[in-house]
Amino acid sequence: MIQAKQALLAALADSLHEIAPDAKAVAAFESPKQAAHGDFACTAAMQLAKPLKANPRELATRLIAALQARPAFQTWVESLEIAGPGFINIRLKPAAKQAVVAEVLTGGSRFGHRPATGKHVMVEFVSANPTGPLHVGHARQAALGDALCSLFQSQGHDVTREFYYNDAGVQIATLANSTQMRLKGFKPGDAEWPEAAYNGDYIQDIADAFLRKETVKADDREFTASGDVDDLDGIRQFAVAYLRHEQDLDLQAFGLKFDSYFLESSVYAGGQLERTVQRLVDSGKTYEQDGALWLRTTDYGDDKDRVMRKKEGGYTYFVPDVAYHINKFERGYTQCINIQGTDHHGTIARVRAGLQAVNLGIPQGFPDYVLHKMVTVMKGGQEVKISKRAGSYVTLRDLIDWTSRDAVRFFLISRKADTEFTFDVDLALKQNDENPVFYVQYAHARICSVIRKWGGDLATVGNADLALLTAPTEEALMLKLAAYPDMLAGAAAGLAPHDVAFYARDLAGAFHSYYAAERVLDQAPELSRARIALLAATRQVLANALGMLGVSAPEQMSRDTPDTSETE
């Protein structure tokens, strides 16, 4: 069906050019709101009516005549109908829908993927300062970012996963001072304990390891403790390495590996910050006022100009962000996406303004942002706010330990990033259809069970007589399989990885509906083989979609309520 759709789109484009050569109409199909209306819908006649000053239904009649003369429509289309003000509903021949089964089986794990484009994309996410364990907000970023990277890779792009963090500054100083206080025997609640100090038990863990003169190794650094409680700089470096190592362990448990790490300190040490400021000054987009240096961000749509250098000295926090993103652009990334919490919304306009003002040819709207809202965690019907390990918040490791990696990944990506999300631990543990990740994974496992019970050679199903797949639920399932490549492309273009989770649930639902309506086994051998081919294709696309989210596709699963279907 994928090839049929491409051929039909090409024929539509030719027909539109024939009818309206100067209108530059886009050849596209939509999905009808009701399946009874057909398999595809075309709105081109209504779109062309105004520029051509013509009646849309009359245009639709002309367009249908042109389409019916095209070989692709003669081969793949059963009927064309005009509906409403000028819709064209297209009903495909059964062979067009059935072809997707062979296309999936041939494509395998690469079904839906596109050829290499040569485009370099960077996705920066998590980016947690090493001051404590990763919290549930970082977990949501990890799920969103990794899935978005997989989507871009499916579209043929070269993708880099980058982790940016500050290894200096006030928060790191607080970390070092908190660890030193623990080393000297003080703890939260003592009169000497600073109000701004970090209170989590992990601070004592760092102090104990420092006294043991341990060596800690993270993905981007290694450091050996001196054991000297007065060595504040050594304590700082060790604490950063220790927590980076802990973050790495959390990310490994999540199944996530970054390609590169970028330190905010390198922006200062390498002179990038000063060069950026000089570029902005040279551009004529800055001015001095009240002893401070300002950037004319209002020239680029910001609601007011922004201070770059404060009158007491030092740069405001968006200036190193500008320098960092210049670095990204100069490394050759044509698209960069930052995944951050909604509290970063205020920085977008000023960072983009700074990047435009340096006159380096950086595209408008660079970088892209995916902003997410925070996560509420419920357990036992109560909101969970405190983790003993972290001291004040639920961690990524807590979620994984309480449920599973699969549940955390699927749940945190099952809603749009800009919507609030409640992570229900009890729901994530259920082994029934109420649990969305179980619902999808069980569809995969159920298909595996049916194929095992069938017992035939799967290598032979590629030659199955697909013309036997004519039941309504079979057609619906095949249409859903055929939607997978376009869904991937749309999710990548829209920075919307949640679309993959939505699709996976819909596909699982289409399979469960089909399986409830039609028997696969104990049929005429050729019919069973055709239906096994359909199930094998469905299993493949379920596995592909789950893999896009970093979620496993189990071959066996148990339910809270036994399954009495023919899989048992």
Side-chain angles (χ1 to χ4, degrees), residues 125-128 162-165 244 247 251 258 260-262:
F125 58 110
V126 181
S127 294
E162 182 150 292
F163 190 124
Y164 171 90
Y165 68 90
R244 278 291 309 112
Q247 290 176 350
L251 293 169
F258 282 90
S260 61
Y261 292 84
F262 194 97

Side-chain angles (χ1 to χ4, degrees), residues 108-403:
S109 63
R110 299 287 299 174
F111 176 72
H113 287 233
R114 300 194 175 191
T117 63
K119 180 178 179 179
H120 298 285
V121 179
M122 174 191 285
V123 182
E124 180 222 320
F125 58 110
V126 181
S127 294
N129 291 342
T131 55
L134 299 177
H135 56 61
V136 292
H138 297 131
R140 194 171 195 184
Q141 285 193 30
L144 289 167
D146 200 35
L148 190 56
C149 289
S150 295
L151 276 170
F152 278 120
Q153 288 170 321
S154 78
Q155 300 308 294
H157 306 326
D158 179 43
V159 180
T160 296
R161 294 162 168 83
E162 182 150 292
F163 190 124
Y164 171 90
Y165 68 90
N166 182 3
D167 58 338
V170 175
Q171 290 183 332
I172 301 300
T174 301
L175 171 67
N177 290 329
S178 302
T179 305
Q180 188 178 51
M181 290 294 288
R182 288 278 196 166
L183 285 165
K184 292 182 177 180
F186 299 106
K187 62 183 183 301
D190 292 347
E192 298 85 355
W193 190 257
E195 183 177 347
Y198 296 130
N199 298 328
D201 288 353
Y202 68 92
I203 298 295
Q204 186 63 60
D205 295 339
I206 298 170
D208 293 343
F210 184 84
L211 285 176
R212 292 193 295 267
K213 299 182 181 181
E214 291 185 4
T215 297
V216 288
K217 184 176 182 180
D219 282 353
D220 69 309
R221 61 178 59 219
E222 181 177 341
F223 192 81
T224 300
S226 66
D228 181 358
V229 299
D230 295 317
D231 178 14
L232 186 59
D233 185 64
I235 294 170
R236 177 186 63 80
Q237 293 190 62
F238 180 79
V240 168
Y242 185 98
L243 287 172
R244 278 291 309 112
H245 172 69
E246 289 292 305
Q247 290 176 350
D248 289 342
L249 293 178
D250 289 346
L251 293 169
Q252 288 170 20
F254 196 70
L256 175 57
K257 176 74 173 178
F258 282 90
D259 301 303
S260 61
Y261 292 84
F262 194 97
L263 309 184
E264 183 178 347
S265 60
S266 68
V267 173
Y268 295 86
Q272 296 178 58
L273 183 64
E274 294 300 331
R275 287 195 298 274
T276 297
V277 172
Q278 190 59 50
R279 281 168 165 167
L280 291 169
V281 171
D282 293 344
S283 73
K285 295 295 184 178
T286 64
Y287 60 92
E288 297 273 354
Q289 181 177 303
D290 300 328
L293 179 66
W294 295 70
L295 178 64
R296 299 183 192 276
T297 56
T298 51
D299 288 357
Y300 302 95
D302 200 1
D303 58 346
K304 62 181 179 180
D305 292 342
R306 304 292 176 174
V307 173
M308 291 174 54
R309 187 181 62 239
K310 296 172 283 190
K311 63 181 179 181
E312 63 270 21
Y315 294 104
T316 54
Y317 59 89
F318 88 92
V319 182
D321 274 357
V322 174
Y324 172 43
H325 285 89
I326 290 173
N327 177 280
K328 289 182 179 181
F329 180 73
E330 290 179 335
R331 279 189 273 164
Y333 293 103
T334 52
Q335 183 176 10
C336 291
I337 300 98
N338 296 344
I339 300 180
Q340 298 172 318
T342 51
D343 56 327
H344 288 80
H345 183 271
T347 67
I348 295 175
R350 64 198 74 170
V351 170
R352 287 176 172 170
L355 293 172
Q356 292 302 300
V358 293
N359 294 322
L360 292 176
I362 298 175
Q364 290 187 5
F366 182 99
D368 292 308
Y369 288 85
V370 174
L371 300 182
H372 69 88
K373 291 189 176 179
M374 296 303 288
V375 179
T376 300
V377 180
M378 300 291 291
K379 187 179 182 184
Q382 301 292 323
E383 182 178 352
V384 183
K385 294 184 178 180
I386 296 177
S387 163
K388 186 174 186 296
R389 178 168 175 253
S392 60
Y393 53 82
V394 178
T395 68
L396 167 59
R397 184 63 67 85
D398 290 332
L399 289 185
I400 295 174
D401 289 346
W402 292 340
T403 59

Side-chain angles (χ1 to χ4, degrees), residues 1-2 35 38-40 92 96-98 100 472-484 503 507 534:
M1 183 174 170
I2 309 303
D39 302 308
F40 296 141
L92 299 174
K97 304 170 191 177
Q98 294 154 356
V100 72
T473 51
E474 286 172 332
E475 290 195 357
L477 183 54
M478 289 185 287
L479 283 171
K480 183 58 66 175
L481 294 176
Y484 182 69
Y503 173 87
L507 178 59
L534 175 57

